[in-house]
Amino acid sequence: MASPKKEGFLTEEQREMLKIAAQNAEVLSSSPRSPSKMVLPELHIKGGGGGGGRATAVGVRHIRRSHSGKLVRVKKDGAGGKGTWGKLLDTNPVSHIDQNDPNYDSGEEPYELVGATVTDPIDDYKKSAATIIEEYFTTGDVELAATELRDLGTDEYHHCFVKKLVSMAMDWHDKEKEMASVLLSALYADVISSAQISQGFFMLLESIDDLALDILDAVDVLALFIARAVVDEILPPAFLKKAMRTLSESSTGVQVIQTAEKSYLSAPHHAEIVERRWGGTTHITVEEVKRKMTELLREYIEHGDTVEACRCIRELGVSFFHHEVVKRAVTLAMEIQTSEHLILKLLREASEECLISPSQMTRGFSRLAESLDDLSLDIPTAKSLFQTIVPKAISDGWLDPSFLKSKVSDEEHRDEGYEKLRKYKEEAVIIIHEYFLSDDIPELIRSLEDLAAPEYNPIFIKKLITLAMDRKHREKEMASVLLSALSMELFSRDDIVNGFIMLLESAEDTTLDILDASDELALFLARAVIDDVLAPLNLEEISNKLPCICSGSETVRIARSLVSARHAGERLLRCWGGGTGWAVEDAKDKIIKLLEEYESGGDVGEACQCIRDLGMPFFNHEVVKKAIVMAMEKKNDRLLELLQECFGEGLITINQMTKGFSRVRDGLDDLALDIPDAEQKFLLYVEHARRHGWLLASF
């Protein structure tokens, strides 16, 4: 037999059989019960004898072709025998598809439904929130937590974050409870709205029964959290009454509210008690950090355990303050010269482990270099010892060689201008200290005028705020009030803008001594806007002038959020406890009342006496401004007579008069909404003022 011609994988005989099978399948699919239409050319029907007319042919529909191509007889209406395809419409569940069949098609396999887990977005949010909170409890980094929460991009679920944060903190120590309260205050308005905080606390009240299963004192702890939120002004007092009406009388949440009201918010000095219940602060003080650094360094000199010393430095958790470790360590090496090799070994090890960064190392040496003159009083050989330590540090590779170049460069620039600036700074510090003691603004202004150095006005602002940030709330409030007075009397707005830019550019250095300098500086910026010392647009101007890598941009962003928050004016005027800030607000109210009384027929002498009794000569520009606006509104030029009397008596200076007119001019667009002819009237008043010599020629 000649070998058949092969094409592909099948012989000619196999291709013919496949063709026949395909034709049969086509016929069967069109009419399974019409055997007369089947065409089987290879079928030879065998005759049979006898049978009296019995059909000799086999019924075509009882013939099937097996997988091998052979024709076989099958049972009538049966499902086929061994090796057959079976019944065409076979629905027997036992049947299966043979994957070894050459004609096997995976598409004929029965479908199998596979269950897929459907995730709820809020579940994903809660998991992410728990991770953020756990990381925050570990690092204490408020800004990082705020950034990560903002990056979730699901602001509508922030009430769940409030609930998660408080419920997790309730089951931790006092430190974490305090951290949770601090974080909520930091996130308020900027990241989480007031409504979401209220909703989060209400959810906590509803779930207090579940929390009490794991936390025995859950009622008291949640009550304290609510009281703390009220004291921190992130939860309105009205929340308590609203929640009381919403909750059922049998709810444990009612007991929580009652505990918060009676045990915490109604007690004398409740604010101070609540704020200090969990330790008062999460931030370690600068003095305490310095003390711990000295202790660990002296202990290291005694025992020489470098690993233990590095561990202690790491546990302080103040990586931005490691320059102080460097400074104190080198100072100690100069005091106890036998310990020099141990100190250098520790600093080298800390550098190699990346525990102390190169910038912190250089900064520590720079600070020590600046204080060598003072240090020489206690250690006469300090300068020579320092000059021997620096080359060793550079040769060992843990001090940047650029330190020597910068040191030489600084010495070369100590010229006459430098000396003048140094003397100005010394005088400025004395003036500011005297002001903090006397609270005498006119005397301070006279002292600045005597210095006759207006080009250094921005430096004075920088020095004023820097000194205030390192003092108590009273001095911070006094600094803000002084800024307001200086902006009206002596300093231009550019001076103030440049002063804040200098502060923000040196914010990282300020943080070395004042840990919360960034937050304090943001409050000073926001307060300046509220006091009209800066315009809101000045914040944008300041931000644009800062270097790209300056951390001060974040401080400006915080200031913007503080200014745009609800009730910003009231909150910022009370940010340091009120003090003279409220005196300014009271003065504004008194000015309006005395002007209204005078406008309705009051005595000019009595009005002048009321202005004098205010005792705020630096604020008399407000009298000018409100008098002009009231004259426009009431259409009563009698108020100009009062200004003439005040100017004639020297009660209102030409600077204050000019400043008042300038403020009215700046607000003309807003005034025109209520007084359509405001601009025309203002021009008439300006002409009147010029005739009487009220205004500076530069106006």
Side-chain angles (χ1 to χ4, degrees):
M1 178 178 178
S3 60
K5 180 182 179 182
K6 294 184 178 180
E7 183 177 346
F9 295 101
L10 302 177
T11 64
E12 289 293 344
E13 181 179 359
Q14 289 171 333
R15 286 186 176 281
E16 184 64 22
M17 292 169 61
L18 182 60
K19 180 179 179 182
I20 294 172
Q23 291 174 345
N24 291 343
E26 186 177 353
V27 173
L28 287 171
S29 63
S30 62
S31 181
R33 292 296 181 180
S34 302
S36 59
K37 295 182 180 180
M38 295 177 63
V39 180
L40 297 175
E42 292 183 9
L43 179 60
H44 301 282
I45 301 175
K46 299 179 181 180
R54 183 179 177 181
T56 59
V58 179
V60 176
R61 71 189 183 106
H62 301 301
I63 300 298
R64 296 290 186 269
R65 190 178 296 275
S66 69
H67 290 301
S68 61
K70 296 180 180 180
L71 300 175
V72 297
R73 184 191 303 272
V74 299
K75 294 183 290 182
K76 185 176 182 180
D77 289 332
K82 182 178 181 182
T84 64
W85 285 347
K87 190 175 179 181
L88 180 65
L89 299 178
D90 196 349
T91 58
N92 186 358
V94 183
S95 63
H96 65 279
I97 298 176
D98 185 4
Q99 296 184 2
N100 295 322
D101 190 335
N103 297 320
Y104 166 74
D105 183 2
S106 61
E108 297 176 359
E109 292 277 8
Y111 291 104
E112 179 180 359
L113 297 177
V114 179
T117 304
V118 179
T119 59
D120 190 348
I122 197 169
D123 292 335
D124 294 338
Y125 178 88
K126 289 178 180 178
K127 291 177 183 177
S128 300
T131 303
I132 293 172
I133 294 167
E134 289 173 354
E135 183 177 353
Y136 168 65
F137 285 160
T138 302
T139 64
D141 193 333
V142 174
E143 292 185 8
L144 177 62
T147 301
E148 290 181 345
L149 185 60
R150 196 181 290 110
D151 290 344
L152 291 180
T154 49
D155 297 356
E156 65 273 17
Y157 297 142
H158 282 347
H159 58 278
C160 296
F161 181 86
V162 177
K163 179 184 176 184
K164 194 72 175 176
L165 173 63
V166 175
S167 59
M168 288 178 66
M170 288 172 66
D171 202 22
W172 286 56
H173 301 295
D174 286 353
K175 176 189 173 185
E176 285 73 26
K177 294 183 178 74
E178 177 68 21
M179 291 176 71
S181 292
V182 170
L183 181 59
L184 282 178
S185 296
L187 297 176
Y188 174 76
D190 185 22
V191 180
I192 303 179
S193 67
S194 175
Q196 288 173 322
I197 288 179
S198 298
Q199 186 179 355
F201 273 103
F202 188 77
M203 292 169 64
L204 284 162
L205 289 170
E206 290 181 321
S207 61
I208 186 62
D209 290 326
D210 295 333
L211 292 172
L213 298 176
D214 300 318
I215 307 167
L216 297 181
D217 57 345
V219 172
D220 185 67
V221 175
L222 182 55
L224 188 52
F225 264 110
I226 291 176
R228 176 63 180 271
V230 173
V231 169
D232 289 344
E233 296 183 345
I234 63 174
L235 199 63
F239 169 82
L240 303 177
K241 294 181 180 179
K242 182 179 179 181
M244 202 77 154
R245 291 194 301 267
T246 307
L247 295 169
S248 62
E249 295 181 0
S250 59
S251 172
T252 311
V254 174
Q255 184 182 347
V256 173
I257 296 174
Q258 291 173 344
T259 303
E261 287 182 326
K262 296 178 181 178
S263 300
Y264 298 114
L265 296 176
S266 300
H269 309 293
H270 67 274
E272 184 177 353
I273 294 172
V274 169
E275 286 179 345
R276 296 186 178 277
R277 182 61 181 270
W278 291 318
T281 178
T282 61
H283 301 292
I284 187 170
T285 63
V286 175
E287 291 73 16
E288 189 175 352
V289 170
K290 291 179 179 179
R291 179 181 58 79
K292 289 185 175 182
M293 287 177 178
T294 301
E295 289 176 355
L296 74 87
L297 287 172
R298 291 193 178 277
E299 185 177 347
Y300 166 69
I301 291 175
E302 184 178 349
H303 298 95
D305 191 342
T306 309
V307 175
E308 177 65 16
C310 288
R311 185 188 66 79
C312 292
I313 295 172
R314 189 177 291 107
E315 284 186 351
L316 287 177
V318 286
S319 57
F320 56 87
F321 205 50
H322 282 167
H323 61 89
E324 184 70 21
V325 176
V326 178
K327 178 185 175 184
R328 289 177 178 270
V330 178
T331 302
L332 199 56
M334 291 190 290
E335 287 178 355
I336 309 173
Q337 296 181 30
T338 55
S339 66
E340 180 180 316
H341 70 286
L342 283 174
I343 292 295
L344 297 183
K345 178 184 177 184
L346 173 62
L347 293 177
R348 182 176 63 252
E349 189 71 21
S351 176
E352 290 175 352
E353 290 185 8
C354 297
L355 176 60
I356 299 179
S357 67
S359 62
Q360 290 287 313
M361 194 72 75
T362 303
R363 188 168 293 171
F365 271 84
S366 299
R367 291 184 63 209
L368 186 56
E370 292 171 358
S371 62
L372 280 177
D373 292 335
D374 295 332
L375 194 60
S376 297
L377 300 176
D378 299 319
I379 309 173
T381 59
K383 291 185 178 179
S384 59
L385 289 172
F386 183 74
Q387 289 172 357
T388 60
I389 291 175
V390 170
K392 293 178 183 178
I394 293 175
S395 62
D396 285 347
W398 49 270
L399 179 62
D400 196 319
S402 62
F403 169 74
L404 280 178
K405 296 179 182 178
S406 62
K407 187 171 180 293
V408 172
S409 177
D410 290 341
E411 292 175 352
E412 290 175 349
H413 285 83
R414 297 197 175 195
D415 52 9
E416 184 180 348
Y418 174 85
E419 286 301 318
K420 182 181 178 182
L421 176 59
R422 184 183 61 80
K423 290 180 180 178
Y424 178 87
K425 288 181 178 179
E426 291 176 354
E427 291 292 333
V429 170
I430 294 172
I431 292 171
I432 293 167
H433 283 163
E434 289 179 353
Y435 167 67
F436 285 157
L437 292 173
S438 66
D439 196 15
D440 191 343
I441 292 178
E443 178 62 28
L444 181 142
I445 292 176
R446 281 193 293 272
S447 298
L448 283 178
E449 289 174 341
D450 291 342
L451 287 179
E455 68 273 17
Y456 292 149
N457 286 347
I459 294 174
F460 181 86
I461 292 173
K462 177 186 176 184
K463 188 64 72 174
L464 170 66
I465 295 177
T466 302
L467 290 173
M469 285 195 295
D470 202 23
R471 287 174 168 251
K472 297 181 180 179
H473 286 349
R474 173 182 175 272
E475 285 77 12
K476 293 169 186 171
E477 180 68 25
M478 290 176 68
S480 287
V481 173
L482 178 59
L483 269 184
S484 180
L486 291 174
S487 69
M488 311 307 175
E489 192 76 21
L490 199 61
F491 289 4
S492 68
R493 183 158 287 184
D494 286 341
D495 289 336
I496 296 172
V497 167
N498 291 331
F500 274 107
I501 290 174
M502 293 172 67
L503 276 164
L504 292 166
E505 287 177 339
S506 62
E508 292 182 1
D509 294 331
T510 307
T511 307
L512 303 178
D513 300 315
I514 306 168
L515 296 183
D516 56 347
S518 179
D519 294 335
E520 293 287 352
L521 191 50
L523 283 173
F524 271 108
L525 270 171
R527 175 64 180 271
V529 174
I530 295 299
D531 288 341
D532 290 333
V533 175
L534 292 175
L537 287 177
N538 289 136
L539 296 181
E540 186 71 26
E541 178 186 354
I542 291 170
S543 180
N544 291 337
K545 289 184 177 180
L546 291 174
C548 298
I549 60 174
C550 179
S551 61
S553 299
E554 178 64 16
T555 302
V556 177
R557 189 192 64 78
I558 296 172
R560 281 202 204 98
S561 65
L562 290 172
V563 171
S564 61
R566 191 177 181 185
H567 306 304
E570 182 178 349
R571 289 172 63 87
L572 289 169
L573 285 171
R574 294 178 57 192
C575 63
W576 292 307
T580 51
W582 280 114
V584 172
E585 288 301 301
D586 292 340
K588 290 181 179 180
D589 293 336
K590 290 178 180 178
I591 289 169
I592 292 175
K593 289 178 181 178
L594 74 87
L595 289 175
E596 288 177 344
E597 184 176 345
Y598 173 76
E599 189 271 337
S600 60
D603 180 65
V604 65
E606 184 179 350
C608 288
Q609 185 59 43
C610 290
I611 295 172
R612 196 175 288 108
D613 290 343
L614 289 175
M616 303 175 73
F618 60 88
F619 202 55
N620 283 342
H621 61 87
E622 184 73 13
V623 177
V624 178
K625 175 189 172 185
K626 291 193 179 297
I628 295 172
V629 173
M630 189 176 292
M632 292 179 182
E633 291 176 340
K634 306 284 188 179
K635 298 181 180 180
N636 188 350
D637 293 344
R638 185 169 183 263
L639 289 161
L640 298 181
E641 297 175 6
L642 173 61
L643 293 181
Q644 177 60 47
E645 185 68 21
C646 291
F647 183 75
E649 291 185 9
L651 185 57
I652 298 179
T653 64
I654 190 171
N655 288 329
Q656 291 286 316
M657 194 72 79
T658 303
K659 186 64 180 179
F661 271 85
S662 298
R663 293 182 63 198
V664 176
R665 180 185 59 195
D666 294 341
L668 276 178
D669 291 339
D670 294 332
L671 278 174
L673 300 176
D674 300 318
I675 309 171
D677 58 344
E679 187 173 355
Q680 291 81 359
K681 287 185 176 181
F682 178 72
L683 292 175
L684 291 175
Y685 294 157
V686 169
E687 184 180 351
H688 177 86
R690 290 189 190 282
R691 284 200 307 269
H692 291 81
W694 295 356
L695 304 176
L696 292 170
S698 59
F699 178 78

